[in-house]
Amino acid sequence: CDAYAGYHFIVVYAAEITGDGFLPRELNLFWGPNYLVTIHRRPAAVLDEARRRWEQHEARQAQGVASLAYALLESLVEGYFAIQDRVRGRMEEIEEAIFKGEESAAADLFRLRKELLRVPRLLAPTGHVLAEVLRRERGIPEELRPYFQDVQDHTVHVLAELDTYRDLLGTALDVQVFYSFNRLGKIMKRLTAVTVVILVPNFVASVYGMNFAHIVPPSEWQYGFVVVAAFLGVMVAWGFIHSRLLGWL
């Protein structure tokens, strides 16, 4: 917010929700004693909303340009609440995906965290602008000053909530890492259990495959195969039961 002779030059950002996130719209305002000029690259829905609100309150129209500036800033901050609601909804979806073990949860978490790092840098100037306007602008009627202060409080509230969500995302990232290591540990336990089950049969089969002359029981014995097969069956059953008791299978 820059003050010049007879007018203020203000730069604020409107937030428009899209399918992938939000788009910041830069608005340049020239606020003079009897005019409010906006400059923007593309059509902005916040301006239509501000005009609609201003036209609905005929009593405020008599309060001059300040009432129109208030309607614009109020509509601007209302868009910030939409970002807050979107972030809250995305966080709930990510938390549910983490608990379900979905692999896409980590990528969604990092995308939302990156967005949260970008949002405050764009929205924070609005709170500073409102503070400067209240401090410098003498043309604001006294009955409108509490409304401007209320809009500033809403901006601070939204930014504080977004900071809280950013901290919660950090906690969610820790939970995601914990669940990843937990799943990895379960996989390692199952692989270890499978190794235990097949280790003894593999060892016995490899010994008989060496064709030694003296093996107990000897391979040429008529009951040798039955005895070895029974022994291997017992060892496999023991390995399976032991792994089940340990919770590895």
Side-chain angles (χ1 to χ4, degrees), residues 31-209:
W31 182 357
N34 56 359
Y35 62 86
L36 179 64
V37 179
T38 62
I39 299 177
H40 45 92
R41 293 180 179 273
R42 300 180 182 86
V46 66
L47 298 179
D48 297 332
E49 177 64 19
R51 178 182 300 173
R52 185 188 64 81
R53 294 188 180 193
W54 184 70
E55 292 175 348
Q56 283 183 345
H57 297 83
E58 296 182 359
R60 291 184 183 176
Q61 297 178 16
Q63 295 172 337
V65 179
S67 64
L68 181 58
Y70 164 73
L72 174 57
L73 294 173
E74 182 188 28
S75 302
L76 199 74
V77 174
E78 287 292 333
Y80 299 168
F81 281 104
I83 294 180
Q84 177 182 339
D85 294 338
R86 179 185 179 277
V87 170
R88 184 188 300 114
R90 292 289 298 126
M91 282 192 60
E92 292 176 355
E93 294 175 359
I94 291 174
E95 289 174 354
E96 185 177 354
I98 289 175
F99 291 127
K100 288 182 177 179
E102 297 180 4
E103 296 182 357
S104 61
D108 293 339
L109 192 151
F110 278 107
R111 277 196 295 267
L112 183 58
R113 190 176 185 182
K114 183 178 179 180
E115 183 177 321
L116 278 180
L117 290 174
R118 185 166 58 99
V119 169
R121 292 197 297 266
L122 297 175
L123 304 191
T126 302
H128 300 310
V129 164
L130 287 165
E132 289 296 314
V133 166
L134 287 171
R135 185 173 63 88
R136 295 181 181 181
E137 180 56 50
R138 304 299 181 185
I140 300 178
E142 288 299 324
E143 59 270 20
L144 273 182
R145 285 187 173 272
Y147 292 97
F148 277 89
Q149 184 64 52
D150 188 53
V151 174
Q152 182 188 11
D153 293 340
H154 287 166
T155 305
V156 174
H157 172 74
V158 171
L159 291 174
E161 287 291 325
L162 292 177
D163 287 338
T164 301
Y165 292 150
R166 186 170 55 191
D167 295 337
L168 290 176
L169 280 178
T171 303
L173 179 59
D174 295 337
V175 173
Q176 168 68 16
V177 172
F178 169 77
Y179 269 85
S180 297
F181 279 107
N182 188 37
R183 288 194 298 270
L184 179 60
K186 290 181 178 179
I187 293 173
M188 294 303 298
K189 286 180 180 180
R190 291 176 181 175
L191 291 176
T192 303
V194 172
T195 302
V196 170
V197 170
I198 67 175
L199 179 62
V200 174
N202 187 47
F203 173 74
V204 173
S206 62
V207 169
Y208 274 88

